[in-house]
Every structure is written in C-alpha cells, then in structure tokens.
Amino acid sequence: MSDDVLSVIPTDPHWQPSKAAADRAAAIVADLAPGTPGGVDVEIDVTWHDTLTVVDCGQNLERIGCPHCGASIDTEWWAALLEANCEDGFATLAVEVPCCGVESTLDALDYDWPCGFARFEIAIWNPDRIWFTDEELAALGAVLGHPVRQIRAHI
Ligand SMILES: [Zn+2]
C-alpha cells in the first residue's frame, strides 16, 4: 500500500512559526483538504523538527539538476545522502555537488519534482487533491507568518 503526502513548508528551511500560528495554518489546511465523504480520512500531521529535515518527494523524484553546470545529478547520490542523514537531520545544507565539484547548498539544486528542507512541516496524508493553488499557499503563508511552498511525495 502506498501513500501520497502533500507537505507545506516555509520557504526558509530554518524558519519556525509560533504554536498559535501553526494551529491556525493547520486549521486552514484541514478546510482546504477536508477529505471525501465516505472515503479515506485525511490525516494532517504538524511537526516541528529539531534539526534541518529533508522533505523529499519519494518516488515522484525524476531528476536532480545542477544549477551550476546543468548536469543531471545521480539520484543514487541523493538517496545515499538521505540515508546518511535520516536519523539526525542535516547539520548543514552546504554540499560539494558530484558533477562539477562546485560548493553549493542542497536546497539550491533543481529537484523535479520539488524537494525541500524544513524545521516545520504540515503534512497531509492522502489528500483528496493534488496541489494547493498559489492563492491558497499565499493565504497559508500569511496566517503562518512566512511564505510557504509545497512538496508532494509518493511513498
Ligand atoms: Zn554541476
């Protein structure tokens, strides 16, 4: 059995909201993804991460592009990186990319589908919709107190 998870995270990987702001944002998310009557219950998880945590797109990942040389970065390299940091999170996003050796940061790479890093996350398990609209994301960001982006994972 597989799951689809739509996550909303702050655009700044280090940023965290207050509890009250997070509660208000989670309430809006629940309104926007209410589930289907008689269908599967939508589950919403609100998480504060102690360390920088990857919010990856799982099996939706098709390609990682290098923003410096344009090469495709081996997804095995990415998978090994996730494996190595899955328990303690990421101490830093600084990285030397394997293609051209440039010093970059992990959140600057071109992920298709998008991946991100966060210390706060609202995750919607098996939502009855694909993506939030730009207007909905803007409204969520306004309530939360920081602009947000969305990641969709298939796991
Ligand atoms: Zn490169």
Side-chain angles (χ1 to χ4, degrees), residues 27-43:
I28 293 182
V29 165
D31 279 345
L32 293 175
T36 320
V40 184
D41 277 344
V42 174
E43 186 183 319

Side-chain angles (χ1 to χ4, degrees), residues 66-71 73 97-102:
C66 172
H68 303 283
C69 72
I73 295 175
V97 289
C99 42
C100 56
V102 166

